[in-house]
Amino acid sequence: MKIIVCVKQVPATNEVKMDPVTNTIIREGVESILNPFDTYAIEEAIRIKEKQGAQITALSMGIPSVVTLLQEAVSLGVDDAILLSDRAFAGADTMATAYTLQLGVESIGDYDLILCGKMATDGDTAQVGPMLAEVLGIPQITDVGEILEIGTDFILCRRMTDDGYETVKSKLPAVITVTKEINIPRLPSIAGMKRGKAAKVPVMTSKDFQLEAERIGLSGSPTQVVRTFIPSHDIASEVLTGSPTEQAEALIEKLREQKLLNW
Amino acid sequence: MSSIKVIDEKCIGCKKCVSACPFAAIQIENKKAVILDNCTLCGSCVESCRFNAIELTVDEVAHEDISTYHGVWVFAETFDGQLRNVGLELLGQAQQLAADLHTKVTAVLIGHPVKHLAQELIAYGADDVFVADDTSLKDFNDQSYTDIMASLVEKQKPEIILLGATMYGRSFAPRVAARLRTGLTADCTGLSIDLETKLLEQTRPAFGGNLMATIICPYYRPQMATVRPGVFATLPQDETRTGQIHELPVKKNPVDVETIARVLHEEQGVSIADAEVIVAAGRGINSPKNVQLVKELAELMGAAVGASRAVVDLGWLPYSQQIGQTGKTVGPKLYIAVGVSGAIQHLAGMSSAQTIVAINSDSDAPIFKVAHYALVGDCSELLPELIAQLKAVQ
């Protein structure tokens, strides 16, 4: 079976600090890491490989230094990796990203399963997985917490919903997005790290594809960010003091005033 | 291809752009700004430069005529034959947007059995309702729901579509957007119309809630957004409102995905997505025994039980109840955080709650910064008091 794992580089911290004087964002020493949700996708792919055999390719779109993160994926047990990197891809929103990944997937050719993290921790959109499935014309199962069975042409998963869990069966090939419930990612072995370091990661640019130029990068992105700002949590906070009895009394009184109690 | 460049003759190396860049993608080398590989072409630096020394060129792309798109649509998500609250909340907000655009509000109802819910949607603000009711649609299905929604949009051409940012909504909306090749903004907490441009301004948290971004979709239609439950208020139900119900023929296309079984979280009581009140437990409750107290308080208040990541990692409550960036996002009327420290990842999932009560023994816990009512104290003393007093007044 052939598996493609889509991964993204994100900042190690999503803390955003504001310089109170200049009113601008401070981002000192931003280290980059593999999106945490994607590490679960990689781990799951490796588990499938160990259980029933698979060829795993990691795929990412990003800046040239993402090669190092893809080597990290190889050190964990991924067989090979491809980076899509070009200034022309920069500024892509989720739609342009999905299209660019589609090009990458199609260049790999044959595949049975595409694994993605549920979302990336910088954008938090959770949109690229389902969009990729749609542009490829294949089904998807999102928020998967457990893969129950993989047959020759189907996959059976347990997915989380707002109301509980569903067991869902999909034909293959399919896109599966995974939650952190699915496994505990391993650390690379020493041999793995050597293999990762030695791994050659091909970098593909826009020139390597016959693509629709109006669907990539900033100008190919339907959505545009018009402004960003740090949210203020300026809340008129009221401290309810006293003994536990008095605190409880005060709270019930407040909730009643706000009509937040049903009686 | 879009590009950005620094005009060296104009740049004086003042570093203003360096601090304006949200991505740390500018460096000063030899007293000139240099733009690095990780630039996303966001344009923040262009605005910050006083010397017009940074030039952003965005390719002009030929776009479809968007002037023929009219109306605000709401996807009315259902579960087990009942409307989810978020759809009703969106109808209320859609009314507001439609008033600014001088247009109508349409609800789209897909599922089975759902026909009987159309009138309710009208009472909550829909002027028209499209209904696709067929036994084949009983289970939520990305594929068949996308087929129906996308073909309806292609025929009717709405300018805006709002969907709940529920688990189903966030799975289904991206497929619809990708099929229609339009923009989609995820998990919005603010929506308004720019009265000059008539564009939908969609505000959403990113970076785990540390940064808010306002997003537009100027050249593609419809403008699509998933919206966090609990952010907008439902309009009062008005039984006298009238509207038109349009039943759609349903083609039974073969589907690639089927739902085999469903396990509901009945043991957890109320579902956290729809809950008006949530009582959440954090590591500060100190002992799994106190989870019982949290559950008891929740039951007494008709509330759902939520959990912080730490409590889920300890195995005290299941992942399905986890609130925060790596769990679920909620927007209840009342959120009672018991022993929750309030890490930013947790706040990302609940800060849009209307009233927040924090109970924590650590008076420096960050949760108190977002709490309307702060109770510093030991939950094992406070919770039994609250439970006893609530029982007494009930």
Side-chain angles (χ1 to χ4, degrees):
Chain A
M1 127 167 273
K2 286 189 83 173
I3 303 175
I4 296 171
V5 186
C6 297
V7 300
K8 183 186 185 186
Q9 173 178 281
V10 298
T13 166
N14 49 29
E15 232 163 87
V16 180
K17 285 194 190 116
M18 204 74 171
D19 184 326
V21 183
T22 59
N23 209 33
T24 51
I25 298 159
I26 308 169
R27 283 188 151 265
E28 273 162 16
V30 226
E31 198 198 333
S32 293
I33 55 163
L34 207 54
N35 170 40
F37 283 102
D38 298 343
T39 62
Y40 298 95
I42 291 174
E43 175 67 27
E44 200 58 24
I46 297 167
R47 289 187 186 195
I48 295 168
K49 178 179 165 179
E50 286 168 347
K51 206 169 150 191
Q52 57 191 82
Q55 167 82 18
I56 310 169
T57 304
L59 175 66
S60 186
M61 176 185 89
I63 60 175
S65 64
V66 175
V67 163
T68 324
L69 289 183
L70 288 169
Q71 288 173 326
E72 219 175 274
V74 173
S75 74
L76 292 165
V78 164
D79 296 292
D80 47 43
I82 295 173
L83 176 63
L84 311 171
S85 187
D86 193 320
R87 293 287 316 162
F89 297 147
D93 73 352
T94 53
M95 273 293 286
T97 304
Y99 174 63
T100 309
L101 290 175
Q102 177 196 351
L103 299 170
V105 167
E106 286 170 351
S107 78
I108 295 168
D110 245 13
Y111 60 91
D112 302 290
L113 181 63
I114 298 177
L115 288 166
C116 304
K118 167 195 158 83
M119 63 180 188
T121 53
D122 52 354
D124 297 344
T125 73
Q127 287 180 178
V128 172
M131 282 177 167
L132 176 61
E134 175 62 32
V135 293
L136 289 169
I138 61 174
Q140 79 205 31
I141 307 176
T142 57
D143 304 297
V144 168
E146 190 182 357
I147 294 177
L148 301 165
E149 195 188 341
I150 300 178
T152 46
D153 60 349
F154 75 92
I155 185 164
L156 189 66
C157 300
R158 193 173 61 110
R159 74 179 291 226
M160 188 166 74
T161 69
D162 285 312
D163 315 277
Y165 292 97
E166 282 173 359
T167 308
V168 182
K169 187 176 178 181
S170 172
K171 286 187 185 154
L172 290 177
V175 171
I176 304 295
T177 79
V178 304
T179 68
K180 60 166 197 160
E181 210 182 11
I182 197 161
N183 57 45
I184 297 168
R186 72 192 64 190
L187 294 170
S189 63
I190 302 287
M193 279 159 97
K194 279 188 190 152
R195 196 174 54 239
K197 235 181 184 152
K200 293 260 181 300
V201 177
V203 179
M204 298 180 83
T205 71
S206 60
K207 290 181 192 67
D208 294 314
F209 302 102
Q210 279 200 312
L211 51 74
E212 298 170 54
E214 69 280 8
R215 293 178 67 191
I216 59 165
L218 181 69
S219 48
S221 295
T223 59
Q224 298 176 0
V225 177
V226 282
R227 60 182 165 270
T228 55
F229 55 96
I230 304 272
S232 70
H233 289 301
D234 291 339
I235 280 176
S237 189
E238 202 173 328
V239 183
L240 308 179
T241 53
S243 69
T245 316
E246 288 162 349
Q247 284 177 302
E249 272 170 13
L251 180 61
I252 289 170
E253 185 55 37
K254 293 291 176 194
L255 296 183
R256 200 181 274 158
E257 271 171 28
Q258 307 272 332
K259 301 198 179 349
L260 288 167
L261 289 180
N262 295 329
W263 55 83
Chain B
M1 163 182 149
S2 305
S3 64
I4 192 158
K5 65 172 183 201
V6 177
I7 304 161
D8 281 347
E9 297 78 57
K10 289 187 182 174
C11 177
I12 61 151
C14 74
K15 298 186 188 170
K16 231 179 150 47
C17 53
V18 175
S19 52
C21 177
F23 302 97
I26 308 182
Q27 270 177 10
I28 302 291
E29 288 170 19
N30 298 325
K31 295 187 178 161
K32 301 287 172 197
V34 175
I35 295 167
L36 308 177
D37 284 337
N38 56 329
C39 166
T40 69
L41 306 175
C42 76
S44 300
C45 54
V46 179
E47 280 171 42
S48 76
C49 182
R50 291 182 190 164
F51 305 94
N52 296 321
I54 307 178
E55 212 172 60
L56 176 65
T57 323
V58 181
D59 284 355
E60 284 295 318
V61 175
H63 298 287
E64 181 197 6
D65 176 20
I66 56 172
S67 64
T68 55
Y69 287 77
H70 299 288
V72 181
W73 282 22
V74 168
F75 173 64
E77 189 179 318
T78 62
F79 182 73
D80 267 357
Q82 290 206 348
L83 291 169
R84 284 208 202 269
N85 291 339
V86 67
L88 304 180
E89 293 159 16
L90 291 183
L91 283 174
Q93 185 61 17
Q95 274 289 337
Q96 180 84 49
L97 303 175
D100 288 343
L101 293 166
H102 310 291
T103 185
K104 291 200 297 182
V105 173
T106 300
V108 181
L109 187 56
I110 304 172
H112 179 78
V114 295
K115 218 181 284 181
H116 62 288
L117 302 168
Q119 201 59 46
E120 200 178 332
L121 292 169
I122 293 170
Y124 279 105
D127 300 307
D128 286 276
V129 183
F130 286 104
V131 187
D133 189 331
D134 186 87
T135 48
S136 65
L137 302 170
K138 188 174 181 304
D139 293 319
F140 171 81
N141 187 291
D142 289 307
Q143 217 174 352
S144 51
Y145 280 44
T146 299
D147 289 346
I148 291 167
M149 186 62 129
S151 62
L152 193 58
V153 169
E154 278 161 1
K155 269 191 226 120
Q156 302 289 332
K157 295 181 182 284
E159 59 194 303
I160 292 173
I161 308 178
L162 308 177
L163 307 94
T166 57
M167 303 292 272
Y168 288 154
R170 292 183 75 172
S171 176
F172 156 64
R175 278 204 90 107
V176 176
R179 175 124 8 135
L180 298 168
R181 292 219 190 149
T182 190
L184 172 66
T185 307
D187 202 26
C188 297
T189 55
L191 293 173
S192 58
I193 299 294
D194 180 322
L195 293 175
E196 231 164 80
T197 60
K198 299 287 178 195
L199 290 173
L200 178 68
E201 294 205 319
Q202 307 156 80
T203 298
R204 67 178 302 267
F207 287 102
N210 282 297
L211 196 68
M212 301 297 288
T214 301
I215 289 163
I216 54 170
C217 177
Y219 305 118
Y220 296 80
R221 291 294 176 273
Q223 305 161 80
M224 291 181 62
T226 60
V227 183
R228 190 176 287 194
V231 172
F232 295 111
T234 306
L235 294 176
Q237 189 169 11
D238 178 357
E239 301 286 359
T240 64
R241 279 194 93 243
T242 53
Q244 277 200 310
I245 298 168
H246 316 264
E247 283 188 40
L248 300 168
V250 177
K251 264 190 282 174
K252 285 188 177 68
N253 294 332
V255 288
D256 294 332
V257 181
E258 51 178 328
T259 305
I260 307 289
R262 226 187 221 171
V263 181
L264 301 186
H265 276 299
E266 278 164 22
E267 81 276 15
Q268 300 302 335
V270 186
S271 142
I272 60 173
D274 268 344
E276 294 200 338
V277 182
I278 292 172
V279 184
R283 184 160 32 198
I285 64 169
N286 283 328
S287 146
K289 273 187 301 191
N290 293 333
V291 172
Q292 270 322 321
L293 290 174
V294 169
K295 283 185 178 168
E296 200 178 339
L297 179 64
E299 199 182 332
L300 205 53
M301 301 188 73
V305 175
S308 73
R309 178 183 171 155
V311 162
V312 172
D313 288 349
L314 286 165
W316 294 354
L317 280 165
Y319 179 54
S320 59
Q321 306 309 106
Q322 186 180 320
I323 290 164
Q325 196 193 15
T326 58
K328 289 176 177 169
T329 13
V330 295
K333 282 187 182 156
L334 174 60
Y335 191 87
I336 303 182
V338 186
V340 175
S341 67
I344 190 75
Q345 289 81 358
H346 186 80
L347 301 186
M350 49 63 75
S351 55
S352 55
Q354 285 167 32
T355 300
I356 297 168
V357 175
I359 300 175
N360 205 303
S361 54
D362 174 9
S363 59
D364 290 330
I367 189 80
F368 286 126
K369 284 194 193 134
V370 301
H372 301 86
Y373 300 110
L375 288 80
V376 180
D378 183 347
C379 72
S380 60
E381 290 173 13
L382 261 164
L383 290 185
E385 269 298 337
L386 267 173
I387 291 165
Q389 290 187 28
L390 281 171
K391 276 185 179 160
V393 295
Q394 201 171 14

